[in-house]
Amino acid sequence: MKILIVEDNRELSETLVHYLKQEGYLCETAYNYQSAEEKINIYAYDVIVLDITLPDGSGLEILKQLKQKRPDEGVLIISAKNALDDKLTGLNLGADDYLTKPFHLAELNARIQSLLRRKRFNGSHEITVGDLRLNTATAQVFINEHEIILTRKEYELLLYFLSNRNRILNKEAIAEHLWGDNIDMADSFDFIYTHIKNLRKKIASYGSASNIKSVYGMGYKFVTE
């Protein structure tokens, strides 16, 4: 899952990135209002961890812009302000949760996981489609109750498809979701085809039909209908 951390304290931001990457998230950062505004206008995220006190603007304004563009995007506010008015304002603008600094990293992770379950998986750790079952808590995938061993990118790719079932995903969206800002340095998106081919092959090797379909000239779709 891809997370944007909007936090002007670089030491705290780096600590969050280091911890969340260890937990399996792809993290991007914005240290000020301008950078955060640019990122939310270009990219989509599973969760945005948002400090509402930024040196060049208000995080609440970022929240307002985001909810106008993508109202379903998850937002967790982190702030040193513990005032009831700030909490109510953030929640009324569409934030999903509010965490007061200082906080334990484990609590932040638990809040993020809870938010993801509510937003993407109807409150569950598991996604089941036919004979395929994916557990987001353990990062395991099973076909007919046999565990299928995937690389990290293959797992992230499958989770992305399952999170967007029956929706066409083009190569650019897939690449940007899996590699974040680093994708700007890529010469082409041919490697996406390689990852999808390997994922399909592994699924088929366990006797399951692949639900990942090519949509000519448009991209790929994980079909459940």
Side-chain angles (χ1 to χ4, degrees), residues 31 38 128 138 191:
Y31 299 117
E38 289 173 356
T128 301
T138 62
F191 56 88

Side-chain angles (χ1 to χ4, degrees), residues 30-50:
Y31 299 117
N32 53 46
Y33 179 95
Q34 181 179 353
S35 176
E37 186 178 40
E38 289 173 356
K39 285 181 179 292
I40 68 167
N41 282 329
I42 298 173
Y43 304 117
Y45 300 91
D46 295 293
V47 175
I48 296 177
V49 178
L50 176 66

Side-chain angles (χ1 to χ4, degrees), residues 120-122 124-135 140-145 148 158-166 203 207-213 221-225:
R120 295 297 180 104
F121 311 126
N122 298 318
S124 173
H125 280 297
E126 293 194 343
I127 313 163
T128 301
V129 178
D131 53 13
L132 185 149
R133 176 169 60 88
L134 183 148
N135 188 308
Q140 291 176 291
V141 178
F142 301 88
I143 293 177
N144 292 318
E145 299 308 314
I148 173 173
L158 178 60
L159 181 57
Y160 187 46
F161 276 121
L162 289 172
S163 301
N164 293 277
R165 296 185 291 278
N166 299 312
I203 292 173
S208 179
S210 174
N211 295 68
I212 303 171
K213 307 299 182 183
K221 180 195 289 190
F222 191 97
V223 180
T224 62
E225 298 172 343

Side-chain angles (χ1 to χ4, degrees), residues 25-138:
Y25 299 102
L26 176 67
C27 298
E28 296 181 11
T29 56
Y31 299 117
N32 53 46
Y33 179 95
Q34 181 179 353
S35 176
E37 186 178 40
E38 289 173 356
K39 285 181 179 292
I40 68 167
N41 282 329
I42 298 173
Y43 304 117
Y45 300 91
D46 295 293
V47 175
I48 296 177
V49 178
L50 176 66
D51 185 2
I52 59 175
T53 307
L54 300 172
D56 54 342
S58 170
L60 293 175
E61 184 59 36
I62 293 290
L63 174 60
K64 190 184 299 183
Q65 289 186 41
L66 176 68
K67 290 301 178 178
Q68 289 173 349
K69 295 176 180 293
R70 296 186 296 276
D72 293 332
E73 207 145 297
V75 178
L76 170 59
I77 290 176
I78 56 172
S79 178
K81 294 183 176 181
N82 195 26
L84 179 60
D85 286 348
D86 290 312
K87 288 185 177 181
L88 292 176
T89 300
L91 293 171
N92 286 333
L93 285 173
D96 299 279
D97 203 350
Y98 193 110
L99 191 56
T100 303
K101 299 176 186 176
F103 50 80
H104 293 288
L105 295 175
E107 181 180 6
L108 174 66
N109 186 34
R111 300 282 189 104
I112 290 172
Q113 288 186 9
S114 176
L115 198 163
L116 286 170
R117 289 196 302 271
R118 294 198 308 270
K119 288 285 185 179
R120 295 297 180 104
F121 311 126
N122 298 318
S124 173
H125 280 297
E126 293 194 343
I127 313 163
T128 301
V129 178
D131 53 13
L132 185 149
R133 176 169 60 88
L134 183 148
N135 188 308
T136 61
T138 62

